[in-house]
């Protein structure tokens, strides 16, 4: 029988009723004719509760112990789901990472997956059992419990799906698929039947929190077909795969996303000589802060402006780091016309992005995007593009309206009833 | 350095403040010059919460999964305690049963301990670390997670203390030792400095819930000195060992205990022929119900009365079983004088017991006990004795007064200030 890997997120197993519902979904997948393998996250809220406990004891909990602690969350949910499955007549056994040898390196709290042994899982499904595997956790080669980073259960599921050559990997979550825009903002947003890995990756990276980026990347590399669907209502969800079918390409733009979690920093009157950008951005990156969109203006009098974005939570730290670097730079390149190097921060921005494979064969997308925003008086502060997306930074107050007007302009609105 | 095993019960690690207090106690034990090895129960209330979750999904949760579920409780507490120890500068690592190979058979929910490997623990203490071990859980030879029965963490501690040839095994709990009587009932009850294994076993079996019986039994067999003490207030606690010192023997009675968890069943006019007691009690024992005190009166007209006690929670089931057996017996031995075999239940009883090694060399204890109770008009319904204890069954309403007057009569009251 073909193998189907199904994964349930925390909200899908957050209480007894939902655990029973998940057991029903699994039973139905079996009836479809699949050998079902299940991956589960901790019960919704459990991981946060454990994190709070640890942090109320220590600001920097010993990382080995932190992993030991967090891994217990998935142990609870796999056991309860296996109990629910057996109760409704579906033979089932739960497995921890060390029991199936889901092996990682020893980098606690962000371990890298080394290999997974699936013999035990194949044996389990061969006798009609449903193995229920604890997501998020791993075991190091010397028997230590590790975790692979928050949201890692998606990746656990995909890795197992790849190793078992599964027909499909279904991610059950609290949304019923991937939408052309956030339905809370755009009334006429529609669920996409299909989306390509490339588009999904752009969307995941841009704050559409449906799937963990790493899991999409892994799926693409190992050609695992993903399907995102709701554990609360019926429906086919959204398939994420490589086939570029008609739906994907007959419109230049597939979706409009936004992200309010960035802040913008501008350094003015930077000497326009090689190495200066590195002198400014290097120390920030070295602190583990991911510097995103970077824009440098054309030079005037050998001075230029450098603008970039950082996650809003790292905004203050980034400013502090810059204010240490700038005086050194001033000494090295004394301003000769009174134009001092200055740092300007702005955390009232939003990034709005249009994503679409169809963009590759359609040159008019950028100009249409800028024209639309201009029509509504929305000023563009920064622009960044890739082959299949265009992002603009605008004032945060215009975020929702920008998403709505772009959704309409690119023909994504659902037909009105 | 000599090894000290210390065990913390659920109430001693029930919140962050108490976990920090436990870490302080451990640090102080280290300062006493011990290599400290720690065993922990789940945070108070956690195991009950998990049991409730499982039972709201299934009346009879799959036992393998039930163990998987419950074992997560100790995983949380060991991790948090290790975090707290590291935070206060005491190097520490937590260990699960499978990580140290605390091996049991595969009888889920009541597994028997097969062996424990302590090499890793010796290595850990050799480098100045405090290993914190998850109590209650085990691992079967085929890698399944097992548990050894509620309250099993005491046994985990004692087994590890024996395997490491520990100087002492300290059980930190919410009482500061073993008392001559329940201090909630007897104002002048005093904490015993020492008590023998034999007395402790009788007391544990009789409802003094300080230590799990199995752990006392194991300690005696392996000569592990136990010490019960409070994690909330200072004091030397009570030492349980084999040395019979003066304190133990200069009084015939060491303590007065009681148990209100039994019920009494009398079967009247039973034919006094071999095999009848078995016909009545066999089916009850076969249902897993432990039949305790059994008394049979002298025979009158070849008929006798059989009285015994069962746990109150099994009272109804026991009556049902008897009411199936009795009609058969009536047929086999038809009553020839109108005296029908009848079953009488009574769940308003209490068992009051005096315990003491000194009893062995003092013949007057029983008569003094009966005399004292008679003086206060307390009727004795059943009597059962062993070498070092005398138990009587009385009406539950007189339980407290009986404990008090016996405590006074046997000279156990603390000197008045």
């Amino acid at each position: 029988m073909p193998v189907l890997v199904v994964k349930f997120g925390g909200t899908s197993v957050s209480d007894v009723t939902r655990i029973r519902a998940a057991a029903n979904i699994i039973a139905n997948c079996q009836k479809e004719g699949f050998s079902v393998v299940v991956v589960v996250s901790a019960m919704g809220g459990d991981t946060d509760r454990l994190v709070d406990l640890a942090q109320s004891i220590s600001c920097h909990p010993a990382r080995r112990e932190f992993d030991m602690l967090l891994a217990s969350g998935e142990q609870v949910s796999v056991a309860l789901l296996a109990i629910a499955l057996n109760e409704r007549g579906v033979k089932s056994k739960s497995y921890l990472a060390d029991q199936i040898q889901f092996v990682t390196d020893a980098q606690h709290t962000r371990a890298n997956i080394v290999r997974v042994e699936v013999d035990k899982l194949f044996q389990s499904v061969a006798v009609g059992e449903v193995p229920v595997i604890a997501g998020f956790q791993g075991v190091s080669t010397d028997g230590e419990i590790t975790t692979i980073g928050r949201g890692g259960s998606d990746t656990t599921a995909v890795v197992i799906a790849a190793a078992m050559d599964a027909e499909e990997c279904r991610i059950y979550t609290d949304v019923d698929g991937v939408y052309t825009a956030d339905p809370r903002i755009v009334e006429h947003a529609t669920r996409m039947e299909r989306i390509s890995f490339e588009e999904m990756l752009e969307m995941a990276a841009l704050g559409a929190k449906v799937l963990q980026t790493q899991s999409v990347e892994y799926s693409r590399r190992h050609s695992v077909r993903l399907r995102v669907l709701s554990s609360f209502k019926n429906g086919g969800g959204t398939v994420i795969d490589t086939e570029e079918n008609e739906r994907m390409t007959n419109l230049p733009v597939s979706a409009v996303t936004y992200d309010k979690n960035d802040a913008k920093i501008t350094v003015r009157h930077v000497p326009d000589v090689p190495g200066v950008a590195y002198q400014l951005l290097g120390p920030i990156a070295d602190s583990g802060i991911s510097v995103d969109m970077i824009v440098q203006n054309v030079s005037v009098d050998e001075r230029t402006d450098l603008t970039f974005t950082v996650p809003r939570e790292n905004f203050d730290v980034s400013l502090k780091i810059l204010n240490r670097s700038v005086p050194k730079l001033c000494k090295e390149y004394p301003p000769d016309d009174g134009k001092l190097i200055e740092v300007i921060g702005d955390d009232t921005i939003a990034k709005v992005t249009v994503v679409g494979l169809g963009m590759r064969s359609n040159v008019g997308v950028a100009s249409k995007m800028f024209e639309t925003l201009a029509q509504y008086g929305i000023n563009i502060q920064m622009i960044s593009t890739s082959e299949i997306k265009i992002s603009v930074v605008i004032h945060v107050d215009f975020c929702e309206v920008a998403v709505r007007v772009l959704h309409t302009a690119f023909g994504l609105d659902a037909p009105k009833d």
Side-chain angles (χ1 to χ4, degrees), chain A residues 180-181 186 188-190 256 402-414:
Chain A
T180 52
V186 181
H188 299 293
T190 56
V256 184
V403 172
R404 270 184 223 116
V405 299
L406 290 171
H407 196 266
T408 305
F410 285 104
L412 296 172
D413 285 0

Side-chain angles (χ1 to χ4, degrees), chain A residues 175-382:
Chain A
V175 297
D176 66 345
V178 184
Y179 275 74
T180 52
D182 186 337
R184 288 167 303 182
I185 290 180
V186 181
E187 191 192 348
H188 299 293
T190 56
R191 180 171 56 80
M192 291 181 261
E193 298 264 319
R194 308 184 84 89
I195 183 174
S196 69
F197 285 122
E198 289 75 12
E199 289 169 313
M200 192 64 225
L201 274 174
E202 291 286 4
M203 291 181 68
L206 289 164
K209 302 265 178 301
V210 182
L211 283 171
Q212 198 208 15
T213 316
Q214 196 193 357
S215 67
V216 181
E217 186 52 63
Y218 195 97
S219 301
R220 177 170 65 169
R221 235 166 35 234
H222 294 85
S223 303
V224 174
R225 188 168 66 177
L226 281 173
R227 186 187 293 270
V228 173
L229 60 187
S230 166
S231 50
F232 307 117
K233 63 182 190 188
N234 291 325
T238 299
V239 173
I240 301 135
D241 63 11
T242 45
E243 294 168 41
E244 297 188 16
N245 67 1
E246 229 173 88
R247 166 68 188 88
M248 285 179 180
T249 46
N250 70 355
L251 282 177
V253 165
S254 302
V256 184
T257 68
Y258 68 94
D259 188 352
K260 293 184 177 181
N261 296 310
D262 281 345
K264 186 180 73 169
I265 296 174
T266 302
V267 189
R268 301 207 60 194
H269 310 134
V270 172
D272 192 9
V273 290
V276 169
Y278 176 72
Q279 257 179 282
L280 290 169
L281 299 180
I284 295 176
D286 291 347
S287 309
I289 297 168
S290 85
V291 176
D292 192 24
M293 297 169 75
I294 304 172
V295 174
Q296 187 173 314
N297 282 3
V298 289
S299 175
V300 176
D301 296 335
E302 285 168 357
R303 295 273 163 166
T304 181
D305 297 341
L306 183 72
T307 304
F308 56 90
T309 59
V310 293
R312 193 167 296 186
E313 57 178 3
N314 304 130
F315 182 53
D316 291 339
V317 176
S318 303
L319 288 178
K320 244 181 240 166
I321 294 171
L322 282 174
N323 285 327
R324 276 202 298 270
S325 313
V326 164
K328 250 191 331 200
L329 211 61
C330 283
K331 237 183 196 166
E332 251 176 276
Y333 305 96
D336 44 13
D337 58 348
K339 285 186 174 166
L340 281 168
I341 303 174
E342 61 176 335
V343 177
I344 302 162
D346 180 3
D347 62 352
T348 60
I349 61 158
K351 183 161 63 181
V352 173
T353 303
V354 297
V355 179
L357 277 191
M359 220 178 273
R360 292 195 289 220
S361 53
N362 194 317
V363 289
V365 174
S367 59
K368 185 165 189 175
M369 184 180 193
F370 304 154
E371 185 193 350
T372 306
L373 294 174
Q375 272 175 6
Y376 287 85
I378 299 168
N379 186 41
I380 297 171
Q381 302 177 9
M382 294 171 81

